[in-house]
Amino acid sequence: MAAPWPPCRRLPHWTVCILAAGYALVQVHDCLSRFLAEPVSSHRDTVFMDQLPTPAITLCNPNLSGYILDRLIFKSNKYLYDLPWDEEGNETIPYLLDVAAVGAKEALENCRLRGRPCSTVGAWSRRLHSSVGDCFTFTPNTSEPIQVGDGYEVTFILPHEVYRTSVETLYVLRGNSFLEVRHDRSNVRLSVFVHPPDEPFSSLPWIQPQEPLYVRPGGQAEVRVTLEDIERVSQRHLPCESRPGYSSARCSLLCHAEAASAATGLDCRVTDMPTTAALCGNFANYSAVQRAFTTAAGAQAAMGECRQRCPRPCRQRRYLAALGSSLGQDETRLRQFSMRIYYGGEPVQLYRELWSYGASALVGEAGGVLGLMLGLSVLSVFEAVSQLVESIVQRVSARAGSAINVLD
Ligand SMILES: *[C@@H]1O[C@H](CO)[C@@H](O)[C@H](O)[C@H]1NC(C)=O
Ligand SMILES: *[C@@H]1O[C@H](CO)[C@@H](O)[C@H](O)[C@H]1NC(C)=O
Ligand SMILES: *[C@@H]1O[C@H](CO)[C@@H](O)[C@H](O)[C@H]1NC(C)=O
Ligand SMILES: *[C@@H]1O[C@H](CO)[C@@H](O)[C@H](O)[C@H]1NC(C)=O
């Protein structure tokens, strides 16, 4: 038999041994359950950088959002109902964008990124988002960083074929004539979003929570951009996705688009969805899919599942934009929104999640308790095991020896 553990050789010592072992067990169990709960601590830091990633920008003319649309261009009270669905079919919305904002291409001609014309360093795309309006997104096709103080200079001009302004009134083209639109001049505004270039833009808060910045016409708005760099750890109950190229916004858009199709039984899309299906071809289908996809009530059913299917990314960059001073105010330029969107030199905010009780902390603490209470160490365990093996080997060879003796 192996020698008993040295301190537990005599009866009174057993009491101490049992108490120590019990205490050690409770402590080790406590360490293990703390480790398994995966506690995380967050650290916040700031660094100054002079080379920063180039963001994408989206400018939305809110006067083409659903509610305004039918007031401006179509007389019906029903959203999008009076569009020429019968003649245009699934080309109705592209047709609408053509008639409602002709000249939109010229509207962005005065765009420069790092002093270079935007058209040489990326591309504009246009999409009607029912909640924020007629949106133009510029995606830079370069990974070149930009310097502090550098960025975009953009002038967005409301196309004059559609809008005509005097200081007091705005006129909107309807058919062949201009319609006077009663408006409060302080309300005319352009929404500006600054976002990562490798993620599709969406204004739906359950897909990509971001607040727009509102720029008013007539002046030169200063939009200062700051960057947040976030690193998360993947916990079992709150995993994060570290695959390169993964975008939670893209994943959620697809997930919610699928859910809207399933809920309506219609295999067509609305302009808010960047999927490949054809646009819905009549009002009934279009508005059904629109309700299922763009209203919180419609998307509710899929939210839990989509959040699970599309976890947060482990590494994420977030752009924040704030309106600085606005220079000048030219009362006669009611159709013109000029802005400079640039890094103002604020520090980059770093958010890091770290395990606050990881594997090495577990080994250290549990090992400390076992050593203190039971005298266990890697060496003593190794010694005990090798003694045990040695005594077994001795016994076996002794038995073999006696067997040989019997044979003799
Ligand atoms: C543009 O839309 C806003 C609300 O989104 C509204 O208050 C404003 O009057 C509209 N402007 C025009 C010219 O219709
Ligand atoms: C970026 O895109 C523009 C317009 O699409 C193109 O003219 C230019 O060559 C592209 N530049 C690079 C580096 O790909
Ligand atoms: C849309 O609606 C029409 C009739 O209301 C229907 O025949 C058609 O199959 C629907 N689905 C799509 C995808 O357009
Ligand atoms: C309209 O439908 C046709 C045929 O189904 C399709 O080829 C086309 O791409 C659709 N257009 C749009 C804008 O979805």
Side-chain angles (χ1 to χ4, degrees):
M1 225 190 87
W5 199 252
C8 303
R9 245 176 282 205
R10 268 178 274 145
L11 194 62
H13 292 172
W14 275 103
T15 327
V16 176
C17 280
I18 287 170
L19 283 179
Y23 180 78
L25 262 183
V26 170
Q27 289 296 310
V28 169
H29 176 264
D30 178 55
C31 293
L32 259 180
S33 47
R34 245 189 301 154
F35 174 71
L36 292 176
E38 301 186 315
V40 159
S41 61
S42 306
H43 300 263
R44 219 185 129 133
D45 214 344
T46 55
V47 289
F48 283 93
M49 292 187 191
D50 14 298
Q51 304 264 311
L52 291 147
T54 309
I57 56 172
T58 294
L59 313 178
C60 300
N61 175 3
N63 293 76
L64 267 186
S65 59
Y67 159 73
I68 301 290
L69 258 185
D70 57 52
R71 275 176 62 222
L72 289 189
I73 302 161
F74 310 99
K75 53 179 179 284
S76 164
N77 288 328
K78 284 191 195 149
Y79 171 39
L80 296 182
Y81 180 73
D82 269 358
L83 290 172
W85 291 101
D86 288 343
E87 300 90 65
E88 302 286 338
N90 69 359
E91 296 290 340
T92 303
I93 302 293
Y95 158 84
L96 163 72
L97 290 182
D98 279 352
V99 297
V102 277
K105 285 201 188 77
E106 300 90 80
L108 296 161
E109 249 169 23
N110 283 325
C111 169
R112 299 181 89 76
L113 171 58
R114 276 191 310 254
R116 275 183 269 163
C118 287
S119 58
T120 64
V121 287
W124 285 101
S125 60
R126 181 185 191 187
R127 183 184 287 281
L128 183 63
H129 290 266
S130 55
S131 51
V132 281
D134 185 17
C135 295
F136 296 83
T137 297
F138 182 78
T139 311
N141 62 356
T142 152
S143 53
E144 258 178 75
I146 55 181
Q147 320 277 332
V148 167
D150 218 351
Y152 291 92
E153 275 174 66
V154 199
T155 300
F156 184 93
I157 303 170
L158 288 178
H160 65 268
E161 290 89 339
V162 177
Y163 303 91
R164 192 174 73 190
T165 54
S166 74
V167 173
E168 298 302 328
T169 332
L170 189 106
Y171 301 90
V172 175
L173 190 64
R174 164 117 151 251
N176 292 326
S177 55
F178 280 100
L179 178 79
E180 188 178 314
V181 180
R182 194 169 51 82
H183 80 107
D184 172 1
R185 225 181 41 232
S186 61
N187 260 343
V188 178
R189 58 191 193 174
L190 192 72
S191 334
V192 176
F193 298 88
V194 179
H195 53 96
D198 50 357
E199 298 220 341
F201 170 74
S202 169
S203 62
L204 300 173
W206 52 91
I207 287 173
Q208 208 173 41
Q210 51 187 341
E211 285 293 314
L213 210 74
Y214 297 108
V215 170
R216 309 214 169 277
Q220 154 99 11
E222 300 273 305
V223 178
R224 290 168 80 95
V225 179
T226 49
L227 188 65
E228 277 181 2
D229 193 5
I230 302 160
E231 240 178 70
R232 305 187 171 97
V233 295
S234 198
Q235 294 167 278
R236 258 170 298 122
H237 70 278
L238 198 63
C240 69
E241 179 58 66
S242 57
R243 235 178 324 127
Y246 168 76
S247 149
S248 63
R250 189 177 305 120
C251 176
S252 305
L253 277 168
L254 292 180
C255 181
H256 278 285
E258 266 173 40
S261 291
T264 55
L266 293 168
D267 184 24
C268 61
R269 72 177 175 95
V270 293
T271 51
D272 301 78
M273 297 178 179
T275 49
T276 50
L279 285 171
C280 296
N282 62 43
F283 172 72
N285 291 1
Y286 197 94
S287 56
V289 175
Q290 176 121 75
R291 259 197 309 279
F293 188 71
T294 61
T295 64
Q300 189 80 48
M303 273 179 206
E305 204 219 309
C306 289
R307 205 159 285 161
Q308 207 164 42
R309 212 201 291 178
C310 305
R312 308 171 307 162
C314 297
R315 184 81 197 269
Q316 188 179 14
R317 275 188 180 140
R318 235 177 0 215
Y319 297 88
L320 306 176
L323 204 55
S325 56
S326 223
L327 305 174
Q329 193 73 36
D330 187 341
E331 299 283 308
T332 61
R333 293 195 172 160
L334 252 177
R335 291 194 300 118
Q336 183 170 319
F337 301 83
S338 295
M339 71 211 86
R340 197 159 89 85
I341 303 172
Y342 64 105
Y343 282 111
E346 284 83 357
V348 176
Q349 303 284 330
L350 305 175
Y351 294 97
R352 298 277 178 270
E353 278 183 4
L354 297 173
W355 296 117
S356 58
Y357 194 75
S360 61
L362 171 71
V363 168
E365 195 173 343
V369 165
L370 290 173
L372 185 66
M373 289 297 129
L374 302 175
L376 284 183
S377 70
V378 172
L379 281 183
S380 70
V381 169
F382 176 75
E383 218 160 86
V385 169
S386 58
Q387 264 178 23
L388 186 70
V389 170
E390 232 167 70
S391 72
I392 289 173
V393 169
Q394 269 172 13
R395 197 157 304 184
V396 168
S397 58
R399 205 169 281 168
S402 62
I404 289 166
N405 288 346
V406 169
L407 273 183
D408 279 350

